[in-house]
Amino acid sequence: MTPGPGIFRTELPEGFHAGGVNAGVRRYRPDIGLITSTSPCVAVGVFTQNTCAATPVQYCQNLLPANNIKAIFTNSGQANAATGEQGVIDNQTMVDAVATALDCQSEQVLIASTGVIGEPVAVDKITQSIPKLVGSVSTIAEKFATAILTTDLVPKTVMKKLPLKGGVVTITGICKGSGMIHPNMATMLGYILMDVQLTTSQAQKILSTSNEKSFNMISVDGETSTNDSAFLLANGASHVSIADEEDFALLQSAVDDVMVVLAKSIARDGEGATKLLEVNIKNSADLSLAKQVARSITVSPLIKSAVNGASPNWGRVISRLGQEAVEESILNSTLLYFQGCLVYAHGKPIFEDSDKLEKLMKQDTITITIDFQSGDASATAWGCDLSEKYVEINGDYLS
Amino acid sequence: MTPGPGIFRTELPEGFHAGGVNAGVRRYRPDIGLITSTSPCVAVGVFTQNTCAATPVQYCQNLLPANNIKAIFTNSGQANAATGEQGVIDNQTMVDAVATALDCQSEQVLIASTGVIGEPVAVDKITQSIPKLVGSVSTIAEKFATAILTTDLVPKTVMKKLPLKGGVVTITGICKGSGMIHPNMATMLGYILMDVQLTTSQAQKILSTSNEKSFNMISVDGETSTNDSAFLLANGASHVSIADEEDFALLQSAVDDVMVVLAKSIARDGEGATKLLEVNIKNSADLSLAKQVARSITVSPLIKSAVNGASPNWGRVISRLGQEAVEESILNSTLLYFQGCLVYAHGKPIFEDSDKLEKLMKQDTITITIDFQSGDASATAWGCDLSEKYVEINGDYLS
């Protein structure tokens, strides 16, 4: 698997093209992006459960699943959420402009938006730039991956080649997300592109399954966005189909890997983040409790501040377990590890080598492992530390 | 009502005394405190719902309600939570030492602790200082109010005289709390002292009712502590009893006022806080949703960061309503006000006088009002902004 951020050139699957240009919404950086496919795609999505879902989310929810999608357009800077009737008109204007430029039907174009909630979309600037956008596409992901960023520091892409029985297929993942990250069904914006041949029901199963282990297990700040969307597009351009259950399992596992890499890249690039926080729950009798507890710890501002300060304040983790109503009998059998060091066992503190632990807390990934010793379910969630920079970014972020 | 912080001298009700001294757990500041009553008190409490409740919380839960309480002891610096069997022994040692010094039974002594979770209590230093502590008591609240502080900047006290049919009674409230504030049944530490004559059931009713509107409606950081406790002690020293339902309603209302003042003082003194955030939900068809939504907004790091930066980013409030699953039909009838200015109505932004709003956002109390126009329930919650200082305090807070 080739991680894409930075100077890498991330290849798209066969038949896909992507680009991005500046439409003048932001000063310099590309702010509109486009993914196209030469052949129509099977397309599915998972979306925010925020009841105030943005206009583009509602639009895509109506359209998907589908088997004739040709493009996804994305604008960054304005979320087109809480924008009323005008937002619906603006959304359709952008979709229609893309369809015209690509010579396809409007119903073949998906759309996602990200940015400030409640601000009107700069629709004139955007539609004027769409011919230039169409001309910008190439077989690599980076221009698009940059155009969809908001407060993110780095573009987030990943590519994986997977040999199936009928031949090799390519999976490319692209995402963005830095603040307002606490997905519930999906995350900010994620795009999984594949050249394998799939049915819509296969595609939906793969996306929903991987999403539960990846985008739904990250949090930057406990805020579920109005615009969370993850798309899976499969255009069949490799002419490789799923031969059997083994092929399907291989593909599922590969998409799991791709989406976990993307999810972790969002957590690590969380607004103001200096460290990635990984929380593993092991041997729980209750999978849904395990997931809830893992996510709860990644959300806790006290724990996130301690991670920022490299403070091994494990008492705050025990308190959080209690806040999530983990039963006393389970707390009494719990083993708690920071960076692999046992700090709490059977209801009591363990003081081993605190100098060693203090050094380990300075690493750039902090791992908290909680072993409930009471079952066989496990869950992993990712987050980041809470830094002074987060406050600075979000005191200012309103154009 | 006389607010007590700072240079004020807050009078205790008749028969109550309070004091505080330094036992050497902290460098200079008083770190153990004691409230005593010359006559036995009716005493009730409300406590954290964190399943990892601290040892002193479990101790008081076993003891209360009671009608023979003579004292409450409190130590600050160590929470005596997640301390195992040794914590239980240490708790009893402190209670026994106080009972010996006051010449009463151990069962007549309540205890509360606040500070670092998981750290052993410095029980020897504390017990050696208890005679000195007993000698420090006086008829004002400030020494005790200072001894119970942790990261708080100011002691928090309030006193109210209430004329009932049989005569005037005095209610004095004292509390502490600055971080790990998101009470669920009670808040960090609260003490309501009264010289009225009450039964335990009257006392419990008054405390639980006021608690729902006050300590249970504040949040600094969404963290429910292991040590949250609020006590109400009534010693009857005024010889005034409750004559009738009207007297009871007056007393309930007075305690409501006292506890709301205390709760707001905690929110305003939240770790790193520069502003008080007040969220009013009006005309909701569902009281429990109104409370949940009000609290949710006070917890949101994005909204708290915007308040810190004086940014009128109301889109984040709308998004939070959606995250809390407020129905779309209600969102479409919602009126949203920042500092009294209407910013969103009927699903659309309202752009009135943005210069005026920007000025108002610089005030030291920020009021967000959400009118659902769909019922007659209302709720108010208090919180504070999220500042860079919060992160600094909590990166370091571990002795």
Side-chain angles (χ1 to χ4, degrees):
Chain A
M1 191 143 46
T2 313
I7 57 167
F8 292 96
R9 290 165 56 88
T10 308
E11 188 187 325
L12 295 169
E14 209 171 320
F16 282 103
H17 294 82
V21 297
N22 176 273
V25 177
R26 296 192 303 194
R27 201 169 297 180
Y28 305 112
R29 209 155 71 162
D31 49 26
I32 57 175
L34 182 68
I35 296 172
T36 62
S37 172
T38 46
S39 45
C41 298
V42 160
V44 294
V46 283
F47 299 96
T48 185
Q49 289 195 337
N50 190 309
T51 55
C52 182
T55 303
V57 169
Q58 296 182 32
Y59 176 87
C60 291
Q61 281 174 320
N62 281 336
L63 219 54
L64 296 181
N67 56 16
N68 62 342
I69 296 298
K70 293 281 297 204
I72 303 187
F73 170 78
T74 299
N75 65 298
S76 67
Q78 291 136 353
N80 202 6
T83 42
E85 273 305 307
Q86 189 60 45
V88 176
I89 295 166
D90 292 345
N91 186 74
Q92 193 63 51
T93 303
M94 292 188 283
V95 165
D96 291 346
V98 171
T100 301
L102 294 178
D103 196 19
C104 68
Q105 303 299 311
S106 292
E107 296 75 33
Q108 295 183 284
V109 177
L110 299 174
I111 181 167
S113 303
T114 175
V116 180
I117 296 169
E119 193 174 273
V121 176
V123 71
D124 290 343
K125 286 181 181 176
I126 291 172
T127 51
Q128 281 161 25
S129 302
I130 282 175
K132 186 172 61 162
L133 176 65
V134 171
S136 77
V137 303
S138 73
T139 59
I140 64 159
E142 271 68 16
K143 270 192 244 174
F144 177 82
T146 305
I148 62 177
L149 304 182
T150 54
T151 51
D152 308 51
L153 299 180
V154 294
K156 298 170 183 70
T157 62
V158 60
M159 189 272 287
K160 190 179 175 99
K161 298 257 181 201
L162 178 70
L164 295 178
K165 295 202 172 59
V168 174
V169 301
T170 303
I171 307 166
T172 300
I174 308 167
C175 70
K176 69 84 49 185
S178 189
M180 209 178 249
I181 299 289
H182 185 74
N184 190 0
M185 272 313 281
T187 189
M188 277 304 288
L189 300 178
Y191 310 78
I192 311 300
L193 311 176
M194 308 199 283
D195 51 17
V196 67
Q197 288 177 348
L198 284 184
T199 64
T200 52
S201 69
Q202 286 174 321
Q204 188 72 61
K205 180 149 189 276
I206 288 172
L207 179 62
S208 298
T209 302
S210 294
N211 184 58
E212 277 302 307
K213 301 177 191 168
S214 57
F215 293 149
N216 260 4
M217 292 306 285
I218 57 172
S219 184
V220 166
D221 52 13
E223 308 271 0
T224 300
S225 161
T226 51
N227 289 56
D228 292 344
S229 307
F231 302 97
L232 187 155
L233 271 66
N235 68 0
S238 68
H239 303 293
V240 177
S241 59
I242 302 297
D244 52 18
E245 281 185 19
E246 195 183 352
D247 257 10
F248 188 83
L250 282 172
L251 185 64
Q252 178 74 66
S253 171
V255 175
D256 283 357
D257 290 350
V258 162
M259 287 179 67
V260 165
V261 167
L262 292 177
K264 287 170 72 170
S265 74
I266 289 179
R268 190 180 284 284
D269 194 21
E271 284 175 343
T274 68
K275 292 172 193 242
L276 177 71
L277 171 61
E278 177 170 306
V279 179
N280 300 305
I281 308 295
K282 288 187 175 169
N283 300 316
S284 169
D286 178 344
L287 177 61
S288 89
L289 181 70
K291 286 178 154 186
Q292 173 195 323
V293 166
R295 295 198 79 186
S296 161
I297 291 169
T298 64
V299 171
S300 156
L302 275 180
I303 296 168
K304 288 156 61 74
S305 297
V307 169
N308 180 256
S311 163
N313 196 322
W314 56 265
R316 293 176 182 169
V317 175
I318 296 295
S319 177
R320 199 76 197 195
L321 297 180
Q323 181 169 349
E324 295 300 323
V326 174
E327 285 169 32
E328 205 179 338
S329 62
I330 293 176
L331 286 175
N332 286 335
S333 70
T334 294
L335 308 177
L336 170 61
Y337 302 82
F338 267 52
Q339 300 294 73
C341 299
L342 185 64
V343 292
Y344 178 88
H346 307 296
K348 276 186 298 199
I350 306 287
F351 296 102
E352 282 184 312
D353 188 342
S354 62
D355 285 353
K356 181 180 153 201
L357 181 54
E358 272 178 31
K359 268 180 213 144
L360 290 172
M361 289 300 294
K362 294 185 175 137
Q363 294 180 342
D364 77 345
T365 297
I366 300 299
T367 305
I368 297 175
T369 302
I370 297 161
D371 185 345
F372 283 142
Q373 297 197 103
S374 60
D376 56 10
S378 63
T380 300
W382 296 274
C384 59
D385 57 332
L386 174 61
S387 75
E388 297 164 7
K389 192 84 186 164
Y390 177 90
V391 179
E392 190 189 318
I393 292 168
N394 287 302
D396 293 339
Y397 183 53
L398 176 68
S399 56
Chain B
M1 190 143 48
T2 314
I7 56 167
F8 292 96
R9 291 167 56 88
T10 308
E11 186 188 327
L12 295 169
E14 208 170 322
F16 282 102
H17 295 84
V21 298
N22 177 273
V25 177
R26 297 193 301 194
R27 201 169 297 181
Y28 304 111
R29 207 153 74 162
D31 48 27
I32 56 174
L34 182 68
I35 296 171
T36 62
S37 172
T38 46
S39 46
C41 299
V42 161
V44 294
V46 285
F47 300 96
T48 185
Q49 290 195 337
N50 191 308
T51 56
C52 183
T55 303
V57 169
Q58 295 182 33
Y59 176 87
C60 291
Q61 281 174 319
N62 281 336
L63 220 53
L64 296 180
N67 55 17
N68 62 342
I69 296 299
K70 293 281 296 204
I72 302 187
F73 170 79
T74 299
N75 65 297
S76 66
Q78 290 136 353
N80 202 6
T83 42
E85 272 305 307
Q86 190 59 46
V88 177
I89 295 167
D90 293 344
N91 187 74
Q92 193 64 49
T93 302
M94 292 188 283
V95 165
D96 291 346
V98 171
T100 301
L102 294 178
D103 196 19
C104 68
Q105 302 298 310
S106 292
E107 296 74 33
Q108 295 181 284
V109 177
L110 300 174
I111 181 167
S113 303
T114 175
V116 180
I117 295 168
E119 191 174 273
V121 177
V123 70
D124 290 343
K125 286 181 180 175
I126 290 172
T127 51
Q128 281 162 24
S129 302
I130 282 175
K132 186 172 61 163
L133 176 64
V134 171
S136 77
V137 303
S138 73
T139 58
I140 64 159
E142 272 68 16
K143 269 192 245 175
F144 178 82
T146 305
I148 62 177
L149 304 182
T150 54
T151 51
D152 309 51
L153 299 180
V154 293
K156 299 170 183 70
T157 62
V158 60
M159 189 272 287
K160 189 178 175 99
K161 299 258 181 201
L162 178 70
L164 295 178
K165 295 205 172 59
V168 174
V169 301
T170 303
I171 307 166
T172 300
I174 308 167
C175 70
K176 71 85 46 186
S178 189
M180 208 178 252
I181 299 289
H182 186 73
N184 190 0
M185 272 312 283
T187 189
M188 277 303 288
L189 300 178
Y191 310 77
I192 310 300
L193 312 175
M194 308 199 284
D195 51 16
V196 67
Q197 288 178 346
L198 283 184
T199 65
T200 52
S201 68
Q202 286 174 321
Q204 188 72 61
K205 180 150 190 275
I206 288 171
L207 180 62
S208 299
T209 302
S210 294
N211 184 56
E212 278 301 307
K213 300 177 193 168
S214 57
F215 292 149
N216 260 3
M217 293 305 286
I218 58 172
S219 184
V220 167
D221 51 15
E223 308 272 359
T224 299
S225 162
T226 52
N227 289 56
D228 291 345
S229 309
F231 302 96
L232 186 155
L233 271 65
N235 67 2
S238 67
H239 303 292
V240 177
S241 59
I242 303 296
D244 53 19
E245 281 185 20
E246 196 183 351
D247 258 9
F248 187 83
L250 282 172
L251 185 64
Q252 179 73 66
S253 171
V255 175
D256 282 358
D257 290 351
V258 162
M259 288 179 66
V260 165
V261 167
L262 292 177
K264 287 170 73 171
S265 75
I266 289 179
R268 190 181 284 283
D269 195 21
E271 285 176 343
T274 68
K275 291 171 194 243
L276 178 70
L277 171 61
E278 176 171 306
V279 179
N280 300 305
I281 308 294
K282 289 187 175 169
N283 301 316
S284 169
D286 178 344
L287 177 60
S288 88
L289 181 71
K291 285 179 154 185
Q292 173 196 324
V293 165
R295 294 199 79 187
S296 162
I297 291 169
T298 64
V299 171
S300 157
L302 276 180
I303 296 168
K304 288 157 60 76
S305 297
V307 169
N308 180 255
S311 163
N313 196 322
W314 57 265
R316 294 177 181 167
V317 175
I318 296 295
S319 177
R320 197 76 195 193
L321 297 181
Q323 181 168 349
E324 295 301 323
V326 173
E327 284 169 34
E328 206 179 336
S329 62
I330 293 175
L331 286 175
N332 286 336
S333 70
T334 293
L335 307 177
L336 170 62
Y337 301 82
F338 268 52
Q339 300 294 73
C341 300
L342 185 65
V343 292
Y344 179 88
H346 307 297
K348 277 186 296 199
I350 306 287
F351 296 101
E352 280 183 313
D353 188 344
S354 64
D355 285 353
K356 181 180 154 203
L357 180 55
E358 271 179 33
K359 266 180 215 147
L360 291 172
M361 288 301 292
K362 293 183 176 139
Q363 294 180 342
D364 77 344
T365 297
I366 301 298
T367 304
I368 296 175
T369 301
I370 297 160
D371 185 344
F372 283 142
Q373 298 198 104
S374 58
D376 56 10
S378 63
T380 301
W382 297 274
C384 58
D385 57 334
L386 173 62
S387 75
E388 297 164 8
K389 191 83 185 167
Y390 177 90
V391 180
E392 189 189 320
I393 292 168
N394 287 301
D396 294 340
Y397 184 53
L398 176 69
S399 56

